[in-house]
């Protein structure tokens, strides 16, 4: 167990006891071996699936339903497209880099600011497939943890979203190395994403 102190809080009483179950470097490196490329793609797709609801919802709320659809389609690319067709993933990366959230970045305000970190998860997932290395898989893992941490701080949640993301990643890797199907992981990631979205909407003044 470890005490998570949310950045910006100066009172240790605001810390939350959460399980420290982040995936280890060795586990992530195992996914990046050439013979396990499909497992690595499933792992980053699962990270993106849990995060993307926030981004697509925020884009739609900002009056950009077409952008919201692009985010959903990019996640679908991670799940369904042959990872050997690197150009498809590269094209999706370029498309994301031209989106409002990515071009404005730190200057975002309103609903788009809520979705920015989720889009970074998707972008890093696409990069990991385009160039499969342990470092790029770890970048996606970290982006997903950062997105959960950001949301947790934003809504002052006591639900330990960061810890939940770490646990999801740990379980995904463990199950993949045991031969679990991508469909099983996607179902679990979708449910986690819906739970996160529902929590956000229940706590956000934008809902």
């Amino acid at each position: 167990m470890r005490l998570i102190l949310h950045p910006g809080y100066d009172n240790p009483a605001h810390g939350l006891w959460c399980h420290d179950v982040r995936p280890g470097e060795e586990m992530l490196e195992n996914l990046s071996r050439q013979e396990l490329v499909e497992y690595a793609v499933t792992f980053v797709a699962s990270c993106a699936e849990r995060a993307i609801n926030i981004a697509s919802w925020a884009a739609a709320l900002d009056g950009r339903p077409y952008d919201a659809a692009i985010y959903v389609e990019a996640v679908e690319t991670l799940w369904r497209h042959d990872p050997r067709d690197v150009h498809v993933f590269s094209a999706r990366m370029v498309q994301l880099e031209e989106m409002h959230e990515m071009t404005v970045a730190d200057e975002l305000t309103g609903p788009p600011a809520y979705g920015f970190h989720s889009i970074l998860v998707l972008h890093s997932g696409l990069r990991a497939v385009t160039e499969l290395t342990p470092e790029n898989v770890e970048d996606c893992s970290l982006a997903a943890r950062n997105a959960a941490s950001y949301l947790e701080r934003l809504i002052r949640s006591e639900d330990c979203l960061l810890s939940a993301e770490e646990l999801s990643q740990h379980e995904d890797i463990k199950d993949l190395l045991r031969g679990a199907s991508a469909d099983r992981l996607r179902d679990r990631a979708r449910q986690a994403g819906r739970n996160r979205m529902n929590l956000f909407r229940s706590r956000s003044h934008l809902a």
Side-chain angles (χ1 to χ4, degrees), residues 3-15 153 156:
L3 182 64
I4 293 179
L5 294 179
H6 300 288
Y9 287 9
D10 56 6
N11 183 354
H14 287 142
R153 297 194 309 271
R156 299 293 178 93

Side-chain angles (χ1 to χ4, degrees), residues 9-189:
Y9 287 9
D10 56 6
N11 183 354
H14 287 142
L16 300 173
W17 286 106
C18 299
H19 293 286
D20 187 356
V21 288
R22 71 184 64 184
E25 291 183 6
E26 182 178 354
M27 296 178 75
L28 291 168
E29 287 177 2
N30 283 338
L31 286 188
S32 302
R33 299 202 308 269
Q34 188 61 39
E35 65 271 22
L36 298 180
V37 59
E38 291 185 4
Y39 289 176
V41 174
T42 299
F43 173 77
V44 299
S46 186
C47 289
E49 185 76 59
R50 286 189 294 274
I52 203 60
N53 283 349
I54 303 293
S56 57
W57 172 79
L61 195 64
D62 194 44
R64 295 180 291 119
Y66 177 74
D67 290 2
I70 287 176
Y71 297 144
V72 173
E73 290 168 4
V75 174
E76 194 68 26
T77 297
L78 282 172
W79 284 113
R80 300 301 180 195
H81 205 82
D82 189 333
R84 292 171 294 184
D85 292 339
V86 175
H87 67 282
V88 173
F89 297 91
S90 297
R92 284 291 187 189
M93 282 180 59
V94 171
Q95 188 178 38
L96 287 185
E97 290 162 4
E98 295 172 349
M99 305 298 282
H100 174 69
E101 286 83 355
M102 294 287 281
T103 56
V104 179
D106 292 340
E107 298 180 7
L108 287 167
T109 59
Y114 293 92
F116 174 65
H117 289 81
S118 297
I119 296 166
L120 290 181
V121 181
L122 179 55
H123 186 268
S124 63
L126 291 165
R127 180 190 292 116
V129 181
T130 302
E131 185 179 353
L132 185 62
T133 66
E135 292 77 18
N136 283 343
V137 175
E138 168 64 19
D139 282 348
C140 183
S141 167
L142 179 59
R145 285 177 268 146
N146 285 342
S149 178
Y150 171 77
L151 183 61
E152 184 178 299
R153 297 194 309 271
L154 186 67
I155 62 177
R156 299 293 178 93
S157 171
E158 296 182 359
D159 292 84
C160 252
L161 298 179
L162 172 58
S163 183
E165 175 61 30
E166 291 175 344
L167 178 59
S168 292
Q169 292 188 22
H170 181 86
E171 290 180 339
D172 282 353
I173 295 173
K174 182 178 64 177
D175 288 351
L176 281 167
L177 296 177
R178 289 176 175 173
S181 69
D183 287 342
R184 175 181 174 182
L185 267 67
R186 187 172 196 182
D187 287 345
R188 187 164 64 196

